[in-house]
Amino acid sequence: MTEKTALTPATHTTPPAKFSHGVRKGNILQVAGQVGFLPAEEGKAPTPAGPTLREQTLQTFANVQAILEEGGATWDDVMMMRVYLTDVDHFAEMNEIYNAYFEEQGLKEAPAARTTVYVGLPKGLLIEIDALAVLS
């Protein structure tokens, strides 16, 4: 049986509870929900990338990508992404940011994706993304 490996890139804080930012088992890698916090700094509380959806979305993508890379994956390995927004009015803007970002990444095939509104994020955070990757 394949071992399960917890993933916490150097850019991320240690999780506040007993969970992992990502987990890989065999060729499956699950990225836990990521938000738009800037890279961790020793002794500092997590800080959002900025107040706008664009700033937070781009940082969230960077945070997901850091975990993918830590687990040996790329965006092309992602099979499913789930996007959680805190405001229904952000759907169109998030889609524009999403499309432009993945065009810049040269993504070969788009993953399945789901976007929903979720109001349980900490104050000031506008977006959370998780991803499921299957490595070849």
Side-chain angles (χ1 to χ4, degrees):
M1 187 175 269
T2 307
E3 291 286 322
K4 182 168 69 173
T5 304
L7 305 169
T8 299
T11 55
H12 288 55
T13 59
T14 301
K18 189 147 180 76
F19 66 85
S20 302
H21 288 291
V23 175
R24 180 171 176 183
K25 184 169 183 174
N27 68 335
I28 306 291
L29 192 162
Q30 175 67 55
V31 177
Q34 299 296 302
V35 295
F37 285 141
L38 293 169
E41 291 186 44
E42 185 80 29
K44 285 191 167 182
T47 306
T52 69
L53 180 64
R54 174 170 296 283
E55 291 166 309
Q56 289 189 26
T57 300
L58 293 175
Q59 185 61 53
T60 301
F61 284 144
N63 294 342
V64 171
Q65 184 172 354
I67 296 164
L68 291 170
E69 290 173 355
E70 184 84 7
T74 69
W75 285 115
D76 281 315
D77 296 311
V78 174
M79 300 296 292
M80 177 67 181
M81 288 181 45
R82 285 173 293 270
V83 178
Y84 304 93
L85 298 172
T86 59
D87 187 334
V88 71
D89 292 333
H90 288 164
F91 270 84
E93 182 181 1
M94 193 286 301
N95 285 339
E96 288 175 20
I97 296 164
Y98 182 100
N99 288 340
Y101 178 83
F102 286 113
E103 186 173 317
E104 289 173 14
Q105 298 299 310
L107 191 65
K108 293 174 189 157
E109 295 292 335
R114 173 174 202 268
T115 303
T116 190
V117 175
Y118 172 71
V119 295
L121 292 178
K123 186 175 170 59
L125 292 176
L126 305 174
I127 187 166
E128 180 176 335
I129 298 173
D130 68 55
L132 175 66
V134 178
L135 292 76
S136 47

